[in-house]
Structures are given as structure tokens and as C-alpha cells.
Amino acid sequence: MNSTSTPTHCPYCALQCGMNLSPTPDGGVEVLERADFPVNRGALCGKGRTAPAVLSSRVRLTSPLVREGGTLVPATWDEALDRIAGALGRIRAEHGADALGVFGGGGLTNEKAYTLGKFARVALGTSQIDYNGRFCMSSAAAAGTKAFGLDRGLPFPLEDIPRSGCVILVGSNLAETMPPSLRFLTELKENGGTLIVVDPRRTKTAEHADLHLAPRPGTDLALALGLLHLVVAEGRTDEAYIAERTTGWEDARAAAMAHWPEYVERITGVSVPQLREAVRMFCEPETAMVLTARGPEQQSKGTDTVGAWINLCLATGRAGRPYSGYGCLTGQGNGQGGREHGQKADQLPGYRKLDDPAARRHVAEVWGVDPDSLPGPGRSAYELLDALGTDIRALLLMGSNPVVSAPRAAHIEERITSLDFLAVCDVVLSETAELADVVLPVTQWAEETGTTTNLEGRVLLRRQAITPPEGIRSDLEVMHELAARLGVEKGFPTDPEEVFEELRRASAGGPADYSGITYRRLAEENGVFWPCPAPQSVDPQSVDPQSVDRVMVADSGDASPAVTPDGPAREAEVRGAHPGTPHPGTPRLFLDRFATPDGRARFVPVAHRAAAEEPDDEYPVLLTTGRVVAQYQSGAQTRRVDELNAAAPGPFVELHPRLAARLGAAEGDPVAVVSRRGRAVAPARITHAIRPDTVFMPFHWPGEGRANTLTNPALDPTSRMPEFKACAVRVEAVTPAEAARD
């Protein structure tokens, strides 16, 4: 490594791959390999390699902008901040605090997410705060909490995956969404393990599978129940484990037995022989895992769907054991940390519940406010966006681009334009920022220090590598300045380490306890897994009842110790540790007990139900959406990188040759996809890799090819996750005249 290089992490997905940044003669940085970080061991995808391109003043914002006569024009910081504070104060005085909305992002650092939640509740006094992570993994979080008493995306390190006997990967195309992680599946197979991929498309990930199951979009719940039915019918349940470590099995078993194989075949399109083969592959090894991603989660029944896959793990004794269990592949860069520290509508720092009196007292004491002054839970993300311009008159938005990323996006764009006032903090002029009254240019990953929490629950330190351009400020500075203008002059520090020290105190004793983590430890240990209580909280009387009883510690001190199928190499009893001993962090959860009051996992009985919108004569085809390897989320940043645009220049519609033949469409011809919410047009991409009854569109682009113009905002009743993954559409050929007009 170059002696002047700065070790840090990629700004994109939840792998948070390690990289080194080295200064270049022109004042920028270049990305160098960082082989010491275990998640990627130096490997990077194209997005990570080209991340410094967004630091360029050619593509990023360099000055505050204010709207004058319908046009955004440069302004001073004082002018821009005064406008925001003035508008927020005026609207609050006229309409009440809940007329102010705050919308955050899963890419914000822990320090920013924590401060944003505090800003909303203390400086503004509003309950109306949520974030775009609600669109990503909230169903898995809800299901995991129901079953295990705790939500952490992966309850084990990624390094455990190659040591499992079988992995079922449900609704994830990680070969394109998280390319460096594909090696864990390659190593799985090299070690003799097997891979089952569940996806309606034969993706690049599915091409690596030993068995590919291609269900109709929206039927993953029936598929999981059908597999559990066969597990019971074939006598493959682990009765001793069920008796010792779970509750609720009888009701869950009865629900699953109503989903016999032939019935499931009719619903899903997955044949009975394939179902039986999947059960054999999953049950025969001593160890196995189920990993879910957005496919089963972004559904109006996403919580129940993930719950059914968890039930499969529990019934076969595959949770809370080494190299086994259920995990969620979190998507956004700080999707895990972003949902732990208070920018979610119903949560306080440390993954505490906002309606819990004890949680309110604890956090209010850290914040120096009266617990009764904290507002209660607010609206979820889509419901908040849907209320813009009506109940919510002003919005402060950080790190999100809902004009492209929200379901029923044209409607959300209308709601945003109906606001009395919109302020956006961003690195680039996104499609949402273009609609704002004030836009503030803020620092980004390489220009600031802060922490993120990756999909494993590993808290990481991103280090500042370069000085931001003159005129750029951090989100922490923005909130400090706005709070002062709104009359709250204390409590909003601008130094990220000072914020993290406060976050440690606020999270202490909560389910996501960071109190034993410091910047120094993060730098020295290459990250620390939560929960990690402070030494004084290791005393048996002070450990939160939801904390994990036992953590694994390798003799070598490695944060990811080797274990055997019979148990860890060496275990340290947390409750019996000496006060003052630093907690080592918790790479693996649930080895002795689950985070429930009685330590047992909960089976939750679920039954298949149809998607909120099924095909009919008018809309006979199903649409599903997703990502491509060269773009990220709404594309606000990656669409500004020449190399990435060359690889993925625009939207497309993936359709089966049979459907293309009925339309008379050839490869590259423009086709229209129409739902009850709107119309999108993009070139046809014809492939046998998709079901004949399904079309696929990536969601990275605005304009006429915007996939989320079409998607259905039907919400899961528990997680409030919209149904991005299945809606009814029709596909139409575009006439030459229409194509020319478009």
C-alpha cells in the first residue's frame, strides 16, 4: 500500500468493500486494492473502481442553489440556510410541527442518520420522518424481529457461507448487485456445497446454481410453504431442535400442510420434481442457509414471505447453529445502520421503539430533553411521500431521489411539486433536487469521516481522504446551522466522532448496542460487529435481555473465528465476563439463545395469498424490476460516470421470445409497458432467461423509461414495504410515428 493512501470503504452497496484511496497530482484520488478487508479481499466492481469520478466538480454540486423565478440559481450558504429555516419555521407556526416532513437515506452514515432523527424530533418537533431504506429490507427486518427477536441482516459473517452445505438464494442477483460477494458462492461449490437460486429470471447468479427455481413473480410465499410441506411429509424435520429452541411449530406446520406440492406447482410454475430436489439438497447436508433479498421482500406480503423461509430454517434446525441460518442481503450502503439509529418513523437510536416509554426516557436523557416532548411514530416512507402537499407542507430531504426510486413515481413527483417548500441536500443535482426550492451541496464519502454498518452487522470506519471543494459543507454542518436558526443552539455537533460518542450513549442497552465501539477500535480491528456493549454493561445485571448471551472469540483474536459444526472454537460467556473487559463484538448471533424473552425462536404461521394486483385480460403480463451491474439505485451518481454509462447506457424491457413474437418486436425495438399507473417505453431485450408471462425492467433511469412509473405502491401490512416486484402490465409495440415522437 502507498504510504500516503487512506484505507476506507466503497460508497455504494452494503458490502462496503474495503479500498485504499491514493492522492493524484490533480488533487483527486485513485482507488487502490485493499486486500486486508475480509469482505472483498481487494476485489471491486466497476462502480467501486470508478467511484472517484463523482468527486469531480464536472458532475457534482459546488454551490447552494435557490429558486428564483422558476429557475435554480447559485446563492450563498447564509442565504440558502436562511431560506430553509425561514420556510420551516413559518410553516410550523401556521400548520403545526407535523406539517414538516423529513426523508432520509440508507446511504447516510450512522452519524448523519442519527443526527437526522434527532433533528426531526428535537429541532423540528415533527413525527413525520422516514427513509428510503423502507423500500429495501424492511420486510426482512420485520420477519426477523418476529422470529428471532432481533433484526440484523446477516447473523453471521459472509465468510461462513462457503462452509455451509447448501445455500438457497431467494430473489437475489448478487453477481450483478454485489459482484465481489460472488466468490463466497464459488467457494461454497468448491467446498462441495450446493447452491439453489430462486428467481423468475435466469440471471448471471442463477447460471452458477446447481438448481434454479423460476417461480412467477409474487409467489415466493407459496414456494417456501410447499418446500416446508415436503420437509414434513418426508420426515425431514429436526424434532429435537424444534422442541428445545422454538415455539409455535404446531400452527406453522398446519399452515404449511395446506400447501401440497401439486397446488404449489400450479401457483408458482415450479414443478413437483424440482420442489422435491430442492428439499433433498437443502436437508441432506448437516448445515444449510437461506438468504433473501429484494425479490421476496418487496411484496405486499413480504413479511410473511420471509417468515415462511425462516420457518423452513427453523423446522430443519438450521438457525442459530454454525454455518446455518437465515440471513437478509441488505442492499444500500448503510441500509443496516440506517435503520438502527432513528431516521425510521417508529424508531429511536439503538433500534429502540419510539413508543416504548423506557426507550424514550433513555434517549431523552442523552439528548437533554423531556421524554414527553418527543413526538410519537409517524408515517412510513410511501405514506409520507403520498401526504406531501396535503398534511405535509414542507420537506427536508437528504440522500434520496424518490422521483426515480419511489413506486407510482409519477404520482410521487406530482406530490413533491405540490409542496409549499422543498429543500434537498445532495452531492449531485438529482431529478428530485431539480424540483427543490433550495439545494445544498454536501460532502461525500471520500471527503468526510463517518461510520457505516454493512450487511453483516459489521460497523466500519470510512475515513476522509481529501479536502472537499471550497463551498461544500457536511450534512452535520447543515443540521447544526438549521437547528441554530430554529432556536436550538446546542445538541447538534459537526464533528462526526463527537456525534458517534453520543450515538454510543444513546444506543447503550438497546438491541443494536454500539456503546463498546469507538473510532479507535474500528481503525485497529477492521470493524466491530454489534451488539457490542461498553465494558460496564457486561455486568450480568445490566445486559439488555435482548442481547446475545454468548459470543465467539477465536484464539487468534480474529473477528471472524473458525468454528466447527459442533460449536465455536472457544466461547466467552458475556454475562460472566469481568467488568471493564472490552466486549469483542458479536460476529455470530443466536448460538445459544434467540433474542426473545424465553430465548426461543418463534414460528409464525403464514398462508399464501395472491399479489395485490394479478394479471387479467387488460393487463395480462407480470412486471418485475431490479438492478444491472453498472448502475446503482436511482442512478443519480452512477449515471454521471462515463465508464458506467458506456456499459449500461439506458433502460430496457427484458421479454421472452414468445411474447416478443406476439408483439412483432425485434431486439432493440422500442416497446411500451403499461400499468394502471402509467406507461414506460424502452428498447426490447429478447431472451429465454425470463418467463414468458413476465417482463423485467431495471429501475435506474428517469424519463420515459422510468420503471417506477409502473410499480404498485400496495403496502405490506407489517413492514409498509411497497410491492415493487410484481404488478400487472400489458406490453405494446411502439409504432414508428410514436417512436419518432418519443
Side-chain angles (χ1 to χ4, degrees):
M1 184 180 82
N2 187 314
S3 60
T4 61
S5 294
T6 302
T8 189
H9 296 272
C10 178
Y12 292 115
C13 82
L15 288 180
Q16 287 297 279
C17 292
M19 59 171 58
N20 290 310
L21 296 182
S22 180
T24 57
D26 61 0
V29 291
E30 64 176 336
V31 172
L32 302 177
E33 179 179 306
R34 181 182 169 191
D36 68 317
F37 189 61
V39 169
N40 62 309
R41 302 178 196 165
L44 291 168
C45 72
K47 296 185 293 293
R49 286 188 297 97
T50 61
V54 186
L55 298 168
S56 168
S57 59
R58 182 177 63 86
V59 299
R60 59 96 50 81
L61 292 168
T62 57
S63 169
L65 303 174
V66 299
R67 190 164 296 280
E68 295 285 359
T71 303
L72 287 171
V73 298
T76 67
W77 271 95
D78 281 340
E79 180 183 1
L81 291 166
D82 287 345
R83 282 205 188 191
I84 297 173
L88 297 178
R90 181 181 67 255
I91 291 168
R92 180 172 61 180
E94 294 175 359
H95 302 284
D98 276 357
L100 307 180
V102 177
F103 200 83
L108 300 180
T109 63
N110 289 318
E111 293 80 2
K112 294 178 184 179
Y114 169 84
T115 304
L116 188 62
K118 182 181 180 181
F119 178 84
R121 296 178 176 107
V122 174
L124 298 181
T126 183
S127 67
Q128 300 303 302
I129 175 172
D130 211 82
Y131 81 125
N132 62 17
R134 179 80 68 170
F135 297 159
C136 288
M137 68 294 292
S138 57
S139 292
T145 301
K146 282 185 177 184
F148 307 131
L150 182 70
D151 158 48
R152 196 180 84 185
L154 291 180
F156 41 73
L158 284 162
E159 292 174 332
D160 283 4
I161 292 174
R163 301 177 181 178
S164 187
C166 177
V167 171
I168 301 181
L169 189 63
V170 189
S172 171
N173 182 18
L174 54 73
E176 295 198 64
T177 60
M178 299 177 172
S181 68
L182 186 63
R183 69 174 176 81
F184 294 109
L185 300 182
T186 301
E187 292 172 9
L188 167 78
K189 298 184 67 175
E190 290 172 350
N191 292 341
T194 56
L195 174 64
I196 301 170
V197 171
V198 179
D199 198 303
R201 305 166 61 221
R202 187 164 182 80
T203 62
K204 291 182 179 179
T205 308
E207 290 174 356
H208 291 266
D210 298 284
L211 178 64
H212 173 214
L213 307 180
R216 290 177 70 244
T219 65
D220 308 88
L221 175 52
L223 178 64
L225 288 164
L227 296 178
L228 183 52
H229 176 111
L230 285 171
V231 165
V232 175
E234 295 178 4
R236 296 181 183 270
T237 56
D238 188 333
E239 296 296 329
Y241 174 93
I242 291 170
E244 293 170 7
R245 300 204 60 188
T246 73
T247 63
W249 170 232
E250 294 301 323
D251 289 342
R253 178 175 61 185
M257 295 313 287
H259 299 76
W260 60 94
E262 291 77 13
Y263 172 59
V264 170
E265 181 182 68
R266 289 199 301 272
I267 293 171
T268 65
V270 178
S271 70
V272 172
Q274 284 184 309
L275 296 173
R276 293 189 184 278
E277 177 64 5
V279 167
R280 183 195 67 77
M281 291 171 61
F282 185 69
C283 292
E284 284 189 354
E286 291 187 17
T287 58
M289 297 176 176
V290 173
L291 305 177
T292 67
R294 308 300 79 77
E297 297 162 18
Q298 288 181 326
Q299 299 185 28
S300 59
K301 53 184 182 296
T303 302
D304 285 356
T305 301
V306 173
W309 290 103
I310 291 174
N311 286 349
L312 179 67
C313 290
L314 294 175
T316 53
R318 304 307 176 93
R321 286 179 169 173
Y323 310 141
S324 291
Y326 164 76
C328 161
L329 298 172
T330 301
Q332 294 193 76
N334 196 31
Q336 181 68 55
R339 66 185 187 260
E340 295 168 1
H341 297 301
Q343 66 171 331
K344 195 161 169 275
D346 58 350
Q347 285 180 352
L348 288 170
Y351 227 144
R352 289 182 161 92
K353 299 298 291 183
L354 187 55
D355 56 5
D356 177 2
R360 293 170 67 87
R361 285 194 301 271
H362 174 87
V363 174
E365 182 177 359
V366 173
W367 288 352
V369 300
D370 184 340
D372 292 337
S373 71
L374 298 178
R379 292 175 172 89
S380 71
Y382 181 80
E383 292 164 307
L384 188 157
L385 294 172
D386 191 39
L388 299 180
T390 55
D391 295 340
I392 300 175
R393 312 295 292 268
L395 181 68
L396 173 64
L397 185 145
M398 287 187 174
S400 187
N401 188 19
V403 164
V404 177
S405 63
R408 196 185 174 196
H411 170 72
I412 295 305
E413 185 172 356
E414 291 175 359
R415 301 277 19 102
I416 288 173
T417 57
S418 71
L419 282 164
D420 293 351
F421 185 81
L422 171 64
V424 173
C425 299
D426 210 330
V427 172
V428 297
L429 191 65
S430 70
E431 287 72 24
T432 305
E434 289 176 353
L435 305 177
D437 296 284
V438 178
V439 182
L440 299 180
V442 291
T443 52
Q444 52 181 309
W445 62 292
E447 300 165 347
E448 60 187 11
T449 294
T451 63
T452 62
T453 306
N454 80 345
L455 75 172
E456 307 165 295
R458 189 194 306 249
V459 186
L460 305 166
L461 183 63
R462 276 193 200 161
R463 297 168 176 87
Q464 181 178 350
I466 58 172
T467 301
E470 185 178 352
I472 306 297
R473 299 187 185 180
S474 73
D475 295 284
L476 295 179
E477 291 175 300
V478 168
M479 288 182 277
H480 172 87
E481 293 288 342
L482 290 177
R485 283 167 167 79
L486 292 165
V488 184
E489 296 185 356
K490 295 183 179 180
F492 292 92
T494 60
D495 177 68
E497 187 169 7
E498 185 178 348
V499 175
F500 190 79
E501 289 299 306
E502 183 179 303
L503 182 157
R504 292 176 61 206
R505 299 194 301 275
S507 72
D513 190 336
Y514 283 34
S515 61
I517 304 174
T518 64
Y519 271 31
R520 179 176 178 177
R521 285 194 65 182
L522 295 178
E524 293 176 349
E525 300 175 33
N526 227 345
V528 178
F529 290 84
W530 72 260
C532 182
Q536 61 269 24
S537 67
V538 175
D539 182 80
Q541 301 304 314
S542 63
V543 176
D544 187 283
Q546 292 194 27
S547 294
V548 179
D549 272 6
R550 212 194 283 185
V551 297
M552 296 168 49
V553 183
D555 293 325
S556 65
D558 191 315
S560 299
V563 298
T564 69
D566 297 324
R570 183 164 62 86
E571 295 173 340
E573 292 289 345
V574 173
R575 293 185 188 273
H578 297 292
T581 302
H583 190 290
T586 314
R588 297 168 179 85
L589 298 170
F590 314 140
L591 292 178
D592 285 338
R593 69 190 311 273
F594 294 95
T596 56
D598 62 3
R600 292 170 174 261
R602 306 283 191 259
F603 280 100
V604 178
V606 294
H608 171 71
R609 60 185 186 275
E613 189 176 78
E614 289 287 333
D616 56 22
D617 290 343
E618 187 176 2
Y619 301 96
V621 177
L622 282 164
L623 167 70
T624 193
T625 64
R627 285 172 48 190
V628 297
V629 67
Q631 301 289 352
Y632 181 72
Q633 304 301 75
S634 75
Q637 295 182 45
T638 53
R639 285 187 277 111
R640 288 167 167 80
V641 179
D642 292 340
E643 181 179 329
L644 300 179
N645 282 333
F652 58 86
V653 180
E654 190 176 274
L655 65 164
H656 192 274
R658 273 189 270 167
L659 178 56
R662 289 202 299 270
L663 296 172
E667 180 76 14
D669 285 353
V671 296
V673 183
V674 184
S675 78
R676 289 177 173 85
R677 289 153 295 280
R679 183 175 189 262
V681 177
R685 184 172 293 182
I686 301 171
T687 174
H688 286 91
I690 195 166
R691 293 173 55 97
D693 58 3
T694 301
V695 295
F696 166 83
M697 291 187 71
F699 54 69
H700 309 291
W701 288 274
E704 67 173 7
R706 181 174 59 184
N708 279 317
T709 297
L710 309 168
T711 48
N712 190 356
L715 301 180
D716 179 285
T718 301
S719 68
R720 316 308 289 169
M721 166 79 83
E723 190 152 57
F724 288 98
K725 289 302 182 186
C727 71
V729 299
R730 65 174 179 267
V731 186
E732 302 171 340
V734 175
T735 66
E738 289 177 308
R741 186 169 64 249
D742 291 337

